[in-house]
Amino acid sequence: MTVTKWLPKYRLNQVKHIAPLATFRVAFGIMMLASIIRFWANGWIAKQYIDPDFYFPYLGFEWIQSWGEPGMYILFALMGIAAIGIALGAFYRWSATLFFVSFTYVELIDKTNYLNHYYFVSIIAFLLILVPAHKAYSLDAWRKKKQEFYVPAWSIHIIILQLTLVYCFAGLAKLQADWLLEALPLKIWLPSRADTPIIGPLLNYKLTAYLFSWFGAFYDLSIPFFLLWKRTRIFAYLTVIVFHFMTAALFQIGMFPYIMVVSTLIFFSEDFHKKLWHKIMPIQKPLLTHSSYFYKPIVLQYFLIIFFGLQILLPFRYALYPGKLFWTEQGYRFSWRVMLMEKVGYTQFTVNLPEKNKAFEVIPSQYLTPVQEKMMNTQPDMILQFAHFLRDQYQSDYNSEVEVFVESYATINGKGSRPFIDPAVNLATVKNSYQHKNWVLPYNQ
Amino acid sequence: MRNLRFSFFILIVSVFFAACDNESGSEKVDFDRQAFLVNMADNVIQPSIENFALEAEGLSVATNSFNENISLESLEVLRAELKEAWLVYQHLAFVQVGPVANVNLRDRVNIFPAKADVIEENINTQDYVLGSASNVAAKGFPALDYLLFGTGETNEDVIAYFGNPDLGNNRLQYLTDLVEDIQTVSNIISQDWPDYRSTFVGNTGTDVGSGTSLLVNEYNFQFDIRIKNAKIGFPAGGNPRTGGVLSPQDVEAFYSGWSGELAEKAVLSSIQVFKGEHFNANEDGLGLDDYLLALNAKTRDDQDLSVAIINQKTLALEEMEKISNPYSEVASAEGSQLVEVYNALQAVIPLIKVDMTSAMSVSITFQDNDGD
């Protein structure tokens, strides 16, 4: 039994022109190259992946480590070459694979640097490995002297589906009391940006925060559908541009707005993209309809169903844990929760050597970069990792039993700081796992 | 169909207005960050810098007199000048921005405890560079504290230390070099301040490098690490709540016994800077407290954050005032009063480091983020 039987109207292998996919490939490759150049030029390779003495790996990925200097630069150079390969469609499968692997590897080194848009890039890069985006308008096609203009529908639709998921989950995450009824955290953030040119003074008004909050939620939930619908598409795309450029002006969110602005072009029609390509490469005459991709990809079908099924489930995994999601952050990442809360924390670690009757007050900045410390202060799993790092450090220095306690406070959306981690729990003996963290104090105790 | 759509629209609009009902539409954050920065620059920071330069000059003059005539009187004058300068420093340490940060004031003049052995070795070998990393604890106020108080049991012993026929001149030279270093620092700061001032007041944002961001971060660092930890916590055995090895010799001004006065001055200064109080007059300008009020920042118990911060600091100050002996003596006893002070100071930390930075949403980095 094939999956297509359950979805009678959707034909996986319906013939589509490659143009939208090719545009996406080129745009994505260029954006990635720009991101890498920007990252490099800002000195962030060293700052984030060479300078720190300690990294916060993901559970199960501890084997992923920084390559140091010059290793990290080589890795980023390879990533850049791969991005060029994607844009040009040169040795495309290899380029896409290399890009996905190198990019994801770098992201897994340190949780500190987790961004939803990096997660997005990893996923898109992975999907690009699967699709035949290089069969035309590419160096590979030129090299092989063979342009294949038709691709199966799924290769375009999975990218549209992915974008839709991102927007919808980001929108769903906004449907909660703080965001809608109190305009938080925008009510805190916007006035701090009151020095922004032109619209700055407006940002001091509470009404502005409410308008932005409501518009943001509505935008995220609806924009993919307005983009899908031909009659609203142009207007929707203008909204995309305005929305993302606005967020770029107001917040420190890097390349994400620009990536979204070019990515959403894939919602446009075949004809739109064909015309676009015709202007750039006016030579082609349609050849060859059926490429090797029109096999019956049973394995691929099941794979994609599992892949997207997992993606739909992941944002809901928080429901498996007790407590307030924003407080414990159990199941917070990899769920498209973007710009959703203003959280600040403070931690003070005390290391005890009971056998030696010694106690040490640890100043985290001695070991961590300011960003690492800031991120750790609000995320219990990172607090635990740092506690274990201190345990190992003092154990080897003093060859003695070590206890690690933390006094910690945090606040969400300006609702007042409160105790965060149980100060009586010796974190040195707590295991790092996906189990519920009962040593995080309840939000309302 | 159209009717349905219209009702939906009405529903959305009414829910929206219901949501904003308790906030009037024109309600806004009414705070002039530029005026705040100007007040901090001209009425808080600049006079503090000038005052520090003045005291450094006084210290230098007294050192010269002591050099010319080593006597009990000149020693007393010199000690008094040291105390004045050290007290004034406590205020300036809270505004380590611009040129004050460039010279790294805190690390340059007030790393304690002083390392007496390094100081003595420097004096003996006559081969030292005060700027080198190995000498951070062999210079500044703590080193002067050692030279003027720690080199003899009695005043006569201290006089004899400098009058020593073999090493006396070396010791006087070291003393002079230390004072000169402080004066150099104060000169650099006062010279560079006017240039930096426009940068400081010109950047009214909250990004890294903006006046507000620098001020808040440095303020918090000074209070948490350099007051709570260094002045109280470390001598009392790390975190006095969990216990540890008491280290009374680690207090600030161990030899002169001024630890209490300096710490009280530091907390008092932190309140003055917080309020944006004019340095010279008793006038309350636009400060961090006014900013928090404008932002309507509250504590968990719905108290005004600015009020809570001032109250808790005042409480800490009261705990400090209960202690009359030098902290080194207090810290020698287990379960000392320093624990009370420490607890009172620690209660300030979440308010300034968590609630205040959150309310102002100041950045600490240029790095991308997507809101935690």
Side-chain angles (χ1 to χ4, degrees), chain A residues 207-272:
Chain A
L207 191 62
T208 310
Y210 278 98
L211 283 171
F212 277 35
S213 295
W214 279 65
F215 177 74
F218 178 72
Y219 170 88
D220 280 341
L221 286 171
S222 64
I223 199 70
F225 307 105
F226 286 129
L227 283 168
L228 279 170
W229 193 19
K230 202 173 170 224
R231 281 173 58 187
T232 49
R233 190 172 294 140
I234 291 289
F235 183 72
Y237 191 70
L238 288 176
T239 315
V240 168
I241 292 173
V242 171
F243 178 84
H244 285 298
F245 275 77
M246 186 90 106
T247 58
L250 291 177
F251 306 113
Q252 245 170 269
I253 48 176
M255 296 293 289
F256 181 68
Y258 312 109
I259 292 173
M260 288 313 257
V261 165
V262 298
S263 294
T264 40
L265 280 173
I266 199 164
F267 282 91
F268 279 80
S269 68
E270 232 171 75
D271 286 343
F272 172 88

Side-chain angles (χ1 to χ4, degrees), chain A residues 38 44 47-48 113-118 180-181 187-189 191-195 204-207 210-211 214 252-255 332 337-346 348 350 352 356-359 361 363 365 370-371 374-375 407 409-411 414-419 443-445, chain B residues 8 12 15-17 19-20 22-31 33 203-208 221 224-225 228-229 234 237-245 291 295-296 298-300 342 346 349-351 353-355 357-372:
Chain A
R38 169 174 174 266
W44 290 344
K47 227 175 224 167
Q48 297 182 23
N113 306 317
Y114 172 81
L115 290 183
N116 285 289
H117 98 248
Y118 291 153
L180 295 173
L181 301 182
K187 206 159 67 183
I188 299 174
W189 288 341
S192 80
R193 313 295 310 172
D195 61 312
N204 274 327
Y205 287 91
K206 281 191 181 157
L207 191 62
Y210 278 98
L211 283 171
W214 279 65
Q252 245 170 269
I253 48 176
M255 296 293 289
Y332 192 86
R337 298 181 216 281
V338 192
M339 310 295 293
L340 215 52
M341 63 170 170
E342 160 64 28
K343 191 173 180 186
V344 174
Y346 166 78
Q348 177 172 280
T350 305
N352 283 345
K356 312 217 160 181
N357 188 29
K358 277 189 184 232
E361 205 76 329
I363 297 168
S365 59
V371 185
K374 180 192 144 112
M375 289 300 171
E407 183 172 348
Y409 302 87
T411 177
K415 304 236 165 146
S417 58
R418 53 199 75 203
Y443 183 73
N444 288 310
Q445 80 274 39
Chain B
F8 183 68
I12 292 276
V15 172
F16 179 78
F17 280 101
C20 325
N22 50 353
E23 328 262 347
S24 97
S26 60
E27 212 177 313
K28 63 179 275 202
V29 173
D30 201 0
F31 187 71
R33 267 204 306 256
N203 186 345
T204 56
T206 50
D207 292 330
V208 191
F221 181 85
D224 187 17
I225 309 295
K228 188 206 75 190
N229 283 351
F234 294 154
N239 181 337
R241 294 171 191 182
T242 47
V245 178
Y291 190 14
L295 291 169
N296 195 26
K298 303 279 188 191
T299 66
R300 193 184 174 187
Y342 183 90
Q346 176 71 340
I349 304 299
L351 299 177
K353 275 196 141 175
V354 180
D355 295 277
T357 49
S358 175
M360 295 179 181
S361 98
V362 289
S363 309
I364 55 153
T365 168
F366 286 111
Q367 224 168 286
D368 301 340
N369 73 75
D370 58 6
D372 308 309

Side-chain angles (χ1 to χ4, degrees), chain B residues 264-280:
Chain B
E264 282 172 35
K265 179 67 182 358
V267 174
L268 191 67
S269 300
S270 85
I271 297 175
Q272 289 167 336
V273 170
F274 182 72
K275 287 179 165 173
E277 250 174 38
H278 293 197
F279 188 89
N280 295 318

